[in-house]
Amino acid sequence: MRNGILVLSFILGFALETARAAEGDAAFAVSPESAYSLIQTAIGDSHESILLNIYMLTNRNVTDALAAKVKSGVKLTILMEGQTFGDEILLPVKKALDDFQAKLAGSEAKFLVMTSQAGGKRRFVFDHAKYMVIDSRKVFVSSENITGSAFNSRNQSGGTRGWEIYLENASLAAQLSHIFATDTDTSFGDVLPYDKVNWKVKDPGAGPLPPRKDRDVQSFDMQRGHVNAASLCSSPNSLQCMLNFIRSAKSELALEHLSLPKVWVDHGSGGATSPSPIVEEILAAARRGVHVRALLNDDSTFGNQNDGSNQAESNIETVNYLKAQAAQAHLPIEAAVFNKDAIEVGYVHNKGMVADGDKVFVSSINGTQNAVMNNREIAVADRKSTRLNSSHGYISYAVFCLKK
């Protein structure tokens, strides 16, 4: 999950008007509390077609909603990453996907998987995109996989923290549809139908489920507004989009990330390291007077440091590095590791940024070299919306809880 990577970067101008559905209308949600309502709204809006590109698809409520739409005559095409954990798949996940595939039987729906089993060379290390195109004119983009923890219908503890946006924009929908058509082209030799993949099923056993309870903290409801302008940026090679967003900050930059290492490790070239251009750009923002607040996931949530053997890749190393630079040069930087217990979520899966309180970057792209340069991803940056300041308020609240 760390190497996530289809970045759709949308530069959005967000105004505060809510009226009848029209070009530019949009909604914003936060996982786990309001994301489920938003994704069900997006699916429910479909009357003609749904294109879905997703890294993980394990939420039965969502797949049931998709299957119901197919039954009503909506044309569904799905592209899912097939090698999240190599060729292994957990037995409960396989059963859920098999049940979903069975519900699609006899329809024109297509359920495709990106995998090296197709015989060709993979175009991306991972297809980590998380987006939908609805009826060729609406776009749903998320930092989250379609799992029960991210799209939690009951807003219970243990969910993942992330952001979602859903907007009506025919131009973006057309661009994404073109990307989707290219990525699902089987002639490249890295895409197979779901039922043609030779899955290695792993039985995780019948261990106890983690305890869940209703969250008793500040919650963020779905917000609506209007997007005046939007542009698309996709990875591989999405670095410039991220740097441009950071450079757009004039007074304040807040970041919330699953993985933002201070160094980039080129795992394809013997593990050579170099300073992260993203982290260095954050420092450059602070040097020009921008107040930076960075909130990064606690890697110990996964029992390791950032899924890598290099300690320098861990989030705590980045936090310590930013603090040290701030102390040495008297820079306006606050950096901390996320306190999951204070917010009552399992971990931060977000890859989001807020600039100046009125620009928000909603993204599936992590801060690793692999995520930026080698995978397939998406991100959204919106502008001028007090509605979307709820995300800014969330970061303020999260940092406050962490410091208590």
Side-chain angles (χ1 to χ4, degrees):
M1 287 188 292
R2 300 276 166 92
N3 297 329
I5 308 282
L6 167 68
V7 175
L8 276 186
S9 186
F10 307 97
I11 306 299
L12 308 176
F14 217 94
L16 256 183
E17 303 167 11
T18 303
R20 60 185 177 80
E23 180 79 358
D25 282 358
F28 177 85
V30 175
S31 295
E33 49 261 54
S34 52
Y36 181 77
S37 295
L38 187 56
I39 196 171
Q40 290 287 13
T41 296
I43 294 170
D45 282 350
S46 64
H47 298 288
E48 301 166 5
S49 62
I50 299 174
L51 307 179
L52 168 61
N53 194 345
I54 193 67
Y55 187 63
M56 297 177 68
L57 180 62
T58 64
N59 188 311
R60 283 182 178 266
N61 290 334
V62 174
T63 55
D64 284 350
L66 291 169
K69 278 296 179 178
V70 170
K71 190 174 181 179
S72 74
V74 171
K75 184 179 179 180
L76 172 67
T77 308
I78 297 174
L79 177 61
M80 183 183 76
E81 172 58 51
Q83 294 176 305
T84 306
F85 305 106
D87 290 326
E88 280 191 350
I89 189 170
L90 295 179
L91 179 59
V93 175
K94 182 66 162 57
K95 289 177 66 175
L97 291 176
D98 285 350
D99 290 346
F100 177 46
Q101 172 80 352
K103 291 177 181 178
L104 302 180
S107 72
E108 295 183 359
K110 296 180 181 179
F111 187 3
L112 304 173
V113 173
M114 184 162 283
T115 173
S116 60
Q117 289 188 24
K121 181 179 179 181
R122 286 187 58 123
R123 284 167 283 175
F124 318 111
V125 173
F126 290 107
D127 175 10
H128 191 258
K130 309 168 199 313
Y131 70 87
M132 289 191 295
V133 179
I134 305 294
D135 292 348
S136 301
R137 67 177 187 273
K138 298 178 182 179
V139 172
F140 175 92
V141 177
S142 176
S143 63
E144 303 306 288
N145 298 305
I146 301 180
T147 63
S149 57
F151 294 90
N152 187 329
S153 61
R154 294 183 57 190
N155 187 23
Q156 292 184 317
S157 61
T160 58
R161 174 57 78 205
W163 296 343
E164 289 77 26
I165 195 162
Y166 175 46
L167 60 150
E168 182 143 354
N169 186 299
S171 176
L172 282 183
Q175 293 175 67
L176 272 180
S177 297
H178 176 73
I179 289 173
F180 188 87
T182 301
D183 290 352
T184 55
D185 186 343
T186 58
S187 69
F188 286 93
D190 58 359
V191 174
L192 284 175
Y194 170 81
D195 56 5
K196 300 299 183 183
V197 178
N198 181 24
W199 300 101
K200 297 178 181 177
V201 181
K202 181 179 179 180
D203 189 347
L209 294 174
R212 296 286 177 91
K213 67 181 184 67
D214 292 339
R215 296 172 69 235
D216 188 27
V217 295
Q218 180 178 347
S219 189
F220 294 88
D221 297 330
M222 184 170 65
Q223 304 288 331
R224 295 185 181 275
H226 189 83
V227 171
N228 297 324
S231 63
L232 179 67
C233 161
S234 64
S235 63
N237 301 315
S238 57
L239 177 61
Q240 199 60 51
C241 300
M242 300 186 73
L243 299 185
N244 286 345
F245 186 87
I246 295 169
R247 290 166 185 166
S248 76
K250 306 302 181 186
S251 60
E252 185 175 30
L253 178 68
L255 307 99
E256 184 178 66
H257 262 268
L258 167 66
S259 179
L260 186 63
K262 71 174 186 179
V263 298
W264 273 10
V265 179
D266 189 344
H267 293 285
S269 299
T273 63
S274 59
S276 163
I278 299 169
V279 173
E280 294 306 311
E281 194 65 43
I282 292 169
L283 286 171
R287 292 187 186 105
R288 66 174 186 267
V290 175
H291 179 199
V292 173
R293 290 182 297 163
L295 186 62
L296 308 185
N297 185 57
D298 183 352
D299 294 322
S300 66
T301 302
F302 305 103
N304 58 24
Q305 295 293 336
N306 225 41
D307 286 348
S309 58
N310 193 325
Q311 174 66 18
E313 290 183 90
S314 67
N315 283 334
I316 190 62
E317 288 291 319
T318 303
V319 167
N320 291 339
Y321 175 61
L322 291 174
K323 286 182 173 179
Q325 292 295 309
Q328 180 179 350
H330 304 289
L331 300 177
I333 298 176
E334 299 174 73
V337 170
F338 187 74
N339 185 341
K340 64 184 182 65
D341 295 328
I343 311 298
E344 297 185 5
V345 301
Y347 60 93
V348 171
H349 190 263
N350 198 11
K351 311 93 172 49
M353 296 185 282
V354 181
D356 302 330
D358 64 0
K359 297 185 287 290
V360 180
F361 192 81
V362 181
S363 170
S364 67
I365 185 171
N366 293 302
T368 63
Q369 179 174 357
N370 198 53
V372 176
M373 306 304 293
N374 301 322
N375 297 2
R376 171 60 94 194
E377 290 280 342
I378 293 189
V380 175
D382 66 78
R383 188 176 298 160
K384 285 291 182 190
S385 172
T386 7
R387 296 285 187 187
L388 288 190
N389 280 352
S390 63
S391 60
H392 177 262
Y394 162 68
I395 290 185
S396 301
Y397 173 69
V399 173
F400 171 75
C401 287
L402 183 146
K403 290 181 174 179
K404 288 179 66 176

